[in-house]
PDB file of all heavy atoms in Angstrom:
ATOM      1  N   LEU A 720      -1.730  19.952 -52.123  1.00 98.00           N
ATOM      2  CA  LEU A 720      -0.688  19.234 -51.228  1.00 98.00           C
ATOM      3  C   LEU A 720      -1.044  19.445 -49.707  1.00 98.00           C
ATOM      4  O   LEU A 720      -0.671  18.559 -49.002  1.00 98.00           O
ATOM      5  CB  LEU A 720       0.602  19.868 -51.491  1.00 98.00           C
ATOM      6  CG  LEU A 720       1.348  19.596 -52.811  1.00 98.00           C
ATOM      7  CD1 LEU A 720       2.647  20.425 -52.936  1.00 98.00           C
ATOM      8  CD2 LEU A 720       1.621  18.102 -52.925  1.00 98.00           C
ATOM      9  N   ILE A 721      -1.602  20.527 -49.326  1.00 98.00           N
ATOM     10  CA  ILE A 721      -2.137  20.664 -47.968  1.00 98.00           C
ATOM     11  C   ILE A 721      -3.124  19.647 -47.601  1.00 98.00           C
ATOM     12  O   ILE A 721      -3.172  19.102 -46.540  1.00 98.00           O
ATOM     13  CB  ILE A 721      -2.642  22.154 -47.749  1.00 98.00           C
ATOM     14  CG1 ILE A 721      -1.518  23.140 -47.809  1.00 98.00           C
ATOM     15  CG2 ILE A 721      -3.420  22.286 -46.500  1.00 98.00           C
ATOM     16  CD1 ILE A 721      -1.920  24.620 -47.826  1.00 98.00           C
ATOM     17  N   VAL A 722      -4.091  19.425 -48.519  1.00 98.00           N
ATOM     18  CA  VAL A 722      -5.095  18.459 -48.343  1.00 98.00           C
ATOM     19  C   VAL A 722      -4.373  16.996 -48.035  1.00 98.00           C
ATOM     20  O   VAL A 722      -4.818  16.305 -47.032  1.00 98.00           O
ATOM     21  CB  VAL A 722      -6.199  18.315 -49.427  1.00 98.00           C
ATOM     22  CG1 VAL A 722      -7.085  17.142 -49.307  1.00 98.00           C
ATOM     23  CG2 VAL A 722      -6.988  19.659 -49.513  1.00 98.00           C
ATOM     24  N   GLU A 723      -3.367  16.677 -48.862  1.00 98.00           N
ATOM     25  CA  GLU A 723      -2.692  15.434 -48.733  1.00 98.00           C
ATOM     26  C   GLU A 723      -1.966  15.400 -47.376  1.00 98.00           C
ATOM     27  O   GLU A 723      -1.932  14.326 -46.730  1.00 98.00           O
ATOM     28  CB  GLU A 723      -1.735  15.349 -49.884  1.00 98.00           C
ATOM     29  CG  GLU A 723      -2.373  15.109 -51.263  1.00 98.00           C
ATOM     30  CD  GLU A 723      -1.336  15.007 -52.322  1.00 98.00           C
ATOM     31  OE1 GLU A 723      -0.101  14.863 -51.975  1.00 98.00           O
ATOM     32  OE2 GLU A 723      -1.852  15.041 -53.528  1.00 98.00           O
ATOM     33  N   ALA A 724      -1.384  16.535 -47.015  1.00 98.00           N
ATOM     34  CA  ALA A 724      -0.734  16.588 -45.661  1.00 98.00           C
ATOM     35  C   ALA A 724      -1.611  16.405 -44.506  1.00 98.00           C
ATOM     36  O   ALA A 724      -1.254  15.665 -43.540  1.00 98.00           O
ATOM     37  CB  ALA A 724       0.210  17.931 -45.669  1.00 98.00           C
ATOM     38  N   VAL A 725      -2.685  17.006 -44.462  1.00 98.00           N
ATOM     39  CA  VAL A 725      -3.688  16.797 -43.417  1.00 98.00           C
ATOM     40  C   VAL A 725      -4.057  15.460 -43.353  1.00 98.00           C
ATOM     41  O   VAL A 725      -4.227  14.738 -42.204  1.00 98.00           O
ATOM     42  CB  VAL A 725      -4.822  17.753 -43.681  1.00 98.00           C
ATOM     43  CG1 VAL A 725      -6.077  17.306 -42.587  1.00 98.00           C
ATOM     44  CG2 VAL A 725      -4.478  19.288 -43.509  1.00 98.00           C
ATOM     45  N   GLU A 726      -4.316  14.757 -44.409  1.00 98.00           N
ATOM     46  CA  GLU A 726      -4.780  13.363 -44.420  1.00 98.00           C
ATOM     47  C   GLU A 726      -3.740  12.408 -43.907  1.00 98.00           C
ATOM     48  O   GLU A 726      -3.868  11.533 -42.948  1.00 98.00           O
ATOM     49  CB  GLU A 726      -5.136  12.869 -45.842  1.00 98.00           C
ATOM     50  CG  GLU A 726      -5.744  11.483 -45.970  1.00 98.00           C
ATOM     51  CD  GLU A 726      -7.193  11.514 -45.212  1.00 98.00           C
ATOM     52  OE1 GLU A 726      -7.815  12.471 -45.188  1.00 98.00           O
ATOM     53  OE2 GLU A 726      -7.437  10.350 -44.579  1.00 98.00           O
ATOM     54  N   ALA A 727      -2.416  12.672 -44.255  1.00 97.00           N
ATOM     55  CA  ALA A 727      -1.245  11.876 -43.760  1.00 97.00           C
ATOM     56  C   ALA A 727      -1.073  12.157 -42.202  1.00 97.00           C
ATOM     57  O   ALA A 727      -0.782  11.197 -41.512  1.00 97.00           O
ATOM     58  CB  ALA A 727      -0.013  12.329 -44.521  1.00 97.00           C
ATOM     59  N   ALA A 728      -1.293  13.382 -41.805  1.00 98.00           N
ATOM     60  CA  ALA A 728      -1.025  13.683 -40.375  1.00 98.00           C
ATOM     61  C   ALA A 728      -2.037  13.121 -39.394  1.00 98.00           C
ATOM     62  O   ALA A 728      -1.877  13.026 -38.218  1.00 98.00           O
ATOM     63  CB  ALA A 728      -0.982  15.295 -40.248  1.00 98.00           C
ATOM     64  N   LYS A 729      -3.269  12.749 -39.980  1.00 97.00           N
ATOM     65  CA  LYS A 729      -4.245  12.168 -39.199  1.00 97.00           C
ATOM     66  C   LYS A 729      -3.758  10.914 -38.498  1.00 97.00           C
ATOM     67  O   LYS A 729      -4.369  10.621 -37.449  1.00 97.00           O
ATOM     68  CB  LYS A 729      -5.450  11.803 -40.029  1.00 97.00           C
ATOM     69  CG  LYS A 729      -6.240  13.070 -40.424  1.00 97.00           C
ATOM     70  CD  LYS A 729      -7.449  12.661 -41.307  1.00 97.00           C
ATOM     71  CE  LYS A 729      -8.227  13.979 -41.691  1.00 97.00           C
ATOM     72  NZ  LYS A 729      -9.478  13.686 -42.577  1.00 97.00           N
ATOM     73  N   GLY A 730      -2.726  10.072 -39.114  1.00 94.00           N
ATOM     74  CA  GLY A 730      -2.347   9.014 -38.456  1.00 94.00           C
ATOM     75  C   GLY A 730      -1.140   9.226 -37.580  1.00 94.00           C
ATOM     76  O   GLY A 730      -0.528   8.276 -36.999  1.00 94.00           O
ATOM     77  N   ALA A 731      -0.888  10.479 -37.072  1.00 96.00           N
ATOM     78  CA  ALA A 731       0.336  10.737 -36.309  1.00 96.00           C
ATOM     79  C   ALA A 731      -0.164  11.338 -34.903  1.00 96.00           C
ATOM     80  O   ALA A 731      -1.345  11.663 -34.831  1.00 96.00           O
ATOM     81  CB  ALA A 731       1.194  11.795 -36.920  1.00 96.00           C
TER      82      ALA A 731
END
Side-chain angles (χ1 to χ4, degrees):
L720 289 172
I721 290 172
V722 172
E723 294 176 8
V725 169
E726 191 62 31
K729 289 178 179 178

